[in-house]
mmCIF file of all heavy atoms in Angstrom:
data_model
loop_
_atom_site.group_PDB
_atom_site.id
_atom_site.type_symbol
_atom_site.label_atom_id
_atom_site.label_comp_id
_atom_site.label_asym_id
_atom_site.label_seq_id
_atom_site.Cartn_x
_atom_site.Cartn_y
_atom_site.Cartn_z
ATOM 1 N N ASP A 188 104.360 46.786 84.330
ATOM 2 C CA ASP A 188 105.762 46.989 83.955
ATOM 3 C C ASP A 188 106.231 48.264 84.654
ATOM 4 O O ASP A 188 105.960 49.373 84.190
ATOM 5 C CB ASP A 188 105.914 47.119 82.446
ATOM 6 C CG ASP A 188 107.385 47.183 82.030
ATOM 7 O OD1 ASP A 188 108.255 47.385 82.920
ATOM 8 O OD2 ASP A 188 107.669 47.036 80.825
ATOM 9 N N PRO A 189 106.945 48.160 85.795
ATOM 10 C CA PRO A 189 107.310 49.343 86.578
ATOM 11 C C PRO A 189 108.271 50.287 85.860
ATOM 12 O O PRO A 189 108.407 51.445 86.279
ATOM 13 C CB PRO A 189 107.980 48.745 87.819
ATOM 14 C CG PRO A 189 107.566 47.315 87.860
ATOM 15 C CD PRO A 189 107.382 46.916 86.431
ATOM 16 N N THR A 190 108.923 49.830 84.804
ATOM 17 C CA THR A 190 109.878 50.690 84.106
ATOM 18 C C THR A 190 109.206 51.597 83.087
ATOM 19 O O THR A 190 109.863 52.455 82.497
ATOM 20 C CB THR A 190 110.938 49.841 83.394
ATOM 21 O OG1 THR A 190 110.316 49.022 82.405
ATOM 22 C CG2 THR A 190 111.681 48.961 84.397
ATOM 23 N N LEU A 191 107.899 51.398 82.866
ATOM 24 C CA LEU A 191 107.156 52.198 81.887
ATOM 25 C C LEU A 191 106.035 52.963 82.585
ATOM 26 O O LEU A 191 105.564 52.561 83.648
ATOM 27 C CB LEU A 191 106.561 51.294 80.798
ATOM 28 C CG LEU A 191 107.563 50.519 79.933
ATOM 29 C CD1 LEU A 191 106.820 49.610 78.971
ATOM 30 C CD2 LEU A 191 108.494 51.471 79.198
ATOM 31 N N PRO A 192 105.576 54.069 81.980
ATOM 32 C CA PRO A 192 104.478 54.825 82.592
ATOM 33 C C PRO A 192 103.206 53.989 82.655
ATOM 34 O O PRO A 192 102.945 53.140 81.796
ATOM 35 C CB PRO A 192 104.304 56.028 81.657
ATOM 36 C CG PRO A 192 105.603 56.127 80.916
ATOM 37 C CD PRO A 192 106.115 54.733 80.780
ATOM 38 N N ALA A 193 102.404 54.252 83.710
ATOM 39 C CA ALA A 193 101.120 53.583 83.815
ATOM 40 C C ALA A 193 100.195 54.067 82.705
ATOM 41 O O ALA A 193 100.177 55.241 82.347
ATOM 42 C CB ALA A 193 100.496 53.860 85.181
ATOM 43 N N SER A 194 99.427 53.148 82.147
ATOM 44 C CA SER A 194 98.508 53.480 81.054
ATOM 45 C C SER A 194 97.453 52.391 80.970
ATOM 46 O O SER A 194 97.456 51.432 81.753
ATOM 47 C CB SER A 194 99.268 53.595 79.727
ATOM 48 O OG SER A 194 99.838 52.341 79.378
ATOM 49 N N THR A 195 96.550 52.529 79.995
ATOM 50 C CA THR A 195 95.529 51.504 79.802
ATOM 51 C C THR A 195 96.170 50.163 79.463
ATOM 52 O O THR A 195 95.702 49.097 79.915
ATOM 53 C CB THR A 195 94.571 51.919 78.679
ATOM 54 O OG1 THR A 195 94.021 53.205 78.987
ATOM 55 C CG2 THR A 195 93.450 50.905 78.518
ATOM 56 N N ALA A 196 97.254 50.220 78.686
ATOM 57 C CA ALA A 196 97.956 48.979 78.328
ATOM 58 C C ALA A 196 98.901 48.509 79.432
ATOM 59 O O ALA A 196 99.373 47.375 79.399
ATOM 60 C CB ALA A 196 98.732 49.191 77.029
ATOM 61 N N ASN A 197 99.203 49.389 80.392
ATOM 62 C CA ASN A 197 100.114 49.057 81.491
ATOM 63 C C ASN A 197 99.464 49.511 82.808
ATOM 64 O O ASN A 197 99.893 50.475 83.440
ATOM 65 C CB ASN A 197 101.466 49.747 81.288
ATOM 66 C CG ASN A 197 102.510 49.307 82.304
ATOM 67 O OD1 ASN A 197 102.502 48.161 82.769
ATOM 68 N ND2 ASN A 197 103.410 50.217 82.649
ATOM 69 N N PRO A 198 98.394 48.812 83.206
ATOM 70 C CA PRO A 198 97.602 49.289 84.345
ATOM 71 C C PRO A 198 98.336 49.159 85.680
ATOM 72 O O PRO A 198 99.234 48.329 85.844
ATOM 73 C CB PRO A 198 96.375 48.374 84.295
ATOM 74 C CG PRO A 198 96.872 47.120 83.663
ATOM 75 C CD PRO A 198 97.880 47.559 82.635
ATOM 76 N N VAL A 199 97.925 50.016 86.605
ATOM 77 C CA VAL A 199 98.438 49.945 87.976
ATOM 78 C C VAL A 199 97.884 48.691 88.636
ATOM 79 O O VAL A 199 96.685 48.401 88.561
ATOM 80 C CB VAL A 199 98.032 51.199 88.777
ATOM 81 C CG1 VAL A 199 98.432 51.052 90.242
ATOM 82 C CG2 VAL A 199 98.649 52.434 88.156
ATOM 83 N N ASN A 200 98.763 47.934 89.282
ATOM 84 C CA ASN A 200 98.381 46.661 89.890
ATOM 85 C C ASN A 200 98.958 46.590 91.301
ATOM 86 O O ASN A 200 99.757 45.732 91.639
ATOM 87 C CB ASN A 200 98.878 45.503 89.033
ATOM 88 C CG ASN A 200 98.239 44.185 89.436
ATOM 89 O OD1 ASN A 200 97.259 44.160 90.168
ATOM 90 N ND2 ASN A 200 98.807 43.084 88.953
ATOM 91 N N GLY A 201 98.584 47.590 92.150
ATOM 92 C CA GLY A 201 99.052 47.644 93.529
ATOM 93 C C GLY A 201 99.847 48.909 93.813
ATOM 94 O O GLY A 201 100.174 49.695 92.911
#
Side-chain angles (χ1 to χ4, degrees):
D188 186 346
T190 62
L191 297 176
S194 64
T195 304
N197 187 32
V199 174
N200 193 14

